[in-house]
Amino acid sequence: MAKKNYNLLIGVLALVAVVLCVSVLGYIVSRPKASVIQGEAEATEYRVSGKVPGRIEAFLAEEGQTVRKGDTLVMIDSPEIRAKIAEATAARAAALAQKNKAYKGAQQEQITGAYEMWQKALVGEEVMRKSYERMQQLHDEKVVSDQKFDEVKAQYDAAVATERAAKSQYDMVLKGARQEDKDAAVALVERANAAVNLVNSYQDEIVLTAPSGGIIAARYPKVGELVGQGSPIMTIQDLDDIWLTFNIREDRLDGMQSGDKLKLTVPALKNKEITATVYYMAVRESYATWRATKEVGEFDSHTFEVRARPDGKVEGLRPGMSVILIRNEK
């Protein structure tokens, strides 16, 4: 009897063990599977480019080098800018000379010459006046003909007009340029100064500086190559402005919202665990990943772009590194 009871106990225990094993196996098989969502680290990038065409004269920063805002990065050689500077400088010098001439007035030699011409006209006018007076007296006495008198009178009138013209010319030279001419000269100088300032601003563009601090991620042309206006020359990555981007199918979002905390691992940093806060969520309208979520009532399952910012600086994290988010599927 004791042996029979013992065998019965063994059988019961074996049955319980089998039931437990089946239960554990069923739980393992039926429990929610963890899904792995891979993202990527990104950073703000700045393109370094110039406003003027030219050839790369020298690089002052290498790829991978850390730079600060305002550091000189590239020197560009532009013969066209040098020619424009010389042209604008010469035009300004000519405008200044014209202005000085207008404000200083005529030279002393010009004033003296105009005065002498006036005096000569005065003498001529005086001689013709006396001749006209004598001829008028003779004409009144009927000694000379009317034609002769008219000729002398015409000569006298011409001498008077010549004297007045010479006097007017002398007054104009003595007075100097008109106010309108002075204003025009000032305007020419201002326009020349504006042209010089413009070409000088282009000259500043042949020395390119860093618009922000960061690392030199890429250099495109080589020394001696020709670059056009606005052509990218360098790319700077700002490592102080890094975020993480995930493309997640909407049925795997599981209620994710802005402000949620994510626990992540970085394989490139020996699976270092970090936390990040979601701050951006938007559907990727450029494409949709179709997936049948149910056997009946199928619909398009769109992909969302989710961005999260690390909670604090992560040493060693670089743009392009993968980050892993593990979520349990229900």
Side-chain angles (χ1 to χ4, degrees):
M1 181 63 68
K3 183 176 180 180
K4 185 177 180 179
N5 292 336
Y6 176 75
N7 291 335
L8 180 60
L9 179 61
I10 294 298
V12 172
L13 292 177
L15 180 60
V16 171
V18 171
V19 172
L20 289 176
C21 289
V22 171
S23 299
V24 172
L25 182 61
Y27 171 76
I28 294 175
V29 173
S30 61
R31 70 178 180 177
K33 297 180 180 179
S35 61
V36 177
I37 301 175
Q38 181 176 344
E40 184 178 351
E42 298 184 17
T44 299
E45 292 187 348
Y46 298 90
R47 293 292 181 92
V48 178
S49 57
K51 292 183 180 180
V52 297
R55 294 188 181 276
I56 301 297
E57 183 176 358
F59 284 114
L60 303 181
E62 303 293 335
E63 288 182 336
Q65 180 178 338
T66 300
V67 297
R68 294 176 297 179
K69 182 177 180 179
D71 287 351
T72 302
L73 303 179
V74 186
M75 303 289 292
I76 298 178
D77 179 34
S78 180
E80 295 81 3
I81 297 301
R82 292 198 298 270
K84 288 183 179 295
I85 292 175
E87 180 183 1
T89 303
R92 181 172 64 177
L96 286 172
Q98 190 70 21
K99 176 187 173 183
N100 293 334
K101 179 180 178 181
Y103 273 85
K104 288 183 178 179
Q107 296 181 356
Q108 186 60 42
E109 293 81 358
Q110 293 176 308
I111 297 175
T112 302
Y115 177 77
E116 290 177 352
M117 291 298 296
W118 176 43
Q119 294 303 310
K120 179 180 179 182
L122 278 175
V123 173
E125 187 267 340
E126 179 65 19
V127 172
M128 290 307 303
R129 183 182 64 80
K130 292 179 179 180
S131 297
Y132 169 71
E133 291 175 351
R134 286 195 299 268
M135 188 60 66
Q136 186 176 24
Q137 184 178 359
L138 294 174
H139 179 264
D140 292 340
E141 295 175 355
K142 306 298 182 180
V143 176
V144 297
S145 63
D146 292 341
Q147 181 179 356
K148 189 65 175 179
F149 173 75
D150 292 338
E151 291 177 357
V152 174
K153 184 177 185 305
Q155 292 176 1
Y156 172 64
D157 292 340
V160 172
T162 301
E163 185 274 334
R164 291 177 180 174
K167 179 64 166 60
S168 177
Q169 186 69 26
Y170 171 69
D171 292 340
M172 184 177 66
V173 172
L174 191 63
K175 184 178 180 180
R178 296 179 301 174
Q179 186 60 42
E180 293 83 354
D181 295 333
K182 295 180 180 180
D183 294 340
V186 171
L188 287 175
V189 173
E190 292 177 352
R191 186 172 68 177
N193 286 332
V196 171
N197 292 335
L198 178 61
V199 295
N200 284 337
S201 68
Y202 284 137
Q203 186 180 23
D204 295 338
E205 292 299 325
I206 65 177
V207 179
L208 305 184
T209 59
S212 174
I215 64 170
I216 306 299
R219 282 189 349 195
Y220 304 109
K222 296 180 176 60
V223 174
E225 289 187 347
L226 182 66
V227 292
Q229 182 179 5
S231 299
I233 299 175
M234 282 184 175
T235 297
I236 299 177
Q237 291 180 338
D238 185 1
L239 300 184
D240 291 330
D241 188 18
I242 290 184
W243 66 90
L244 313 173
T245 301
F246 301 88
N247 292 317
I248 305 177
R249 204 170 57 221
E250 61 179 310
D251 58 313
R252 300 173 69 180
L253 286 173
D254 193 23
M256 183 183 295
Q257 297 179 356
S258 294
D260 288 354
K261 297 287 186 179
L262 304 180
K263 292 184 178 181
L264 311 167
T265 58
V266 185
L269 302 180
K270 298 181 180 180
N271 290 324
K272 182 177 182 178
E273 294 184 355
I274 64 173
T275 60
T277 303
V278 176
Y279 71 93
Y280 173 87
M281 294 180 64
V283 65
R284 298 295 296 267
E285 297 181 356
S286 59
Y287 66 91
T289 303
W290 186 90
R291 178 178 181 271
T293 56
K294 296 181 180 179
E295 294 181 0
V296 181
E298 299 174 352
F299 63 90
D300 287 343
S301 181
H302 294 273
T303 298
F304 277 72
E305 180 183 2
V306 178
R307 298 179 188 175
R309 200 175 300 278
D311 298 332
K313 186 175 180 61
V314 181
E315 293 295 336
L317 184 62
R318 292 290 185 271
M321 288 186 177
S322 298
V323 288
I324 305 300
L325 170 64
I326 299 178
R327 297 176 67 84
N328 292 326
E329 290 188 348
K330 296 182 178 179

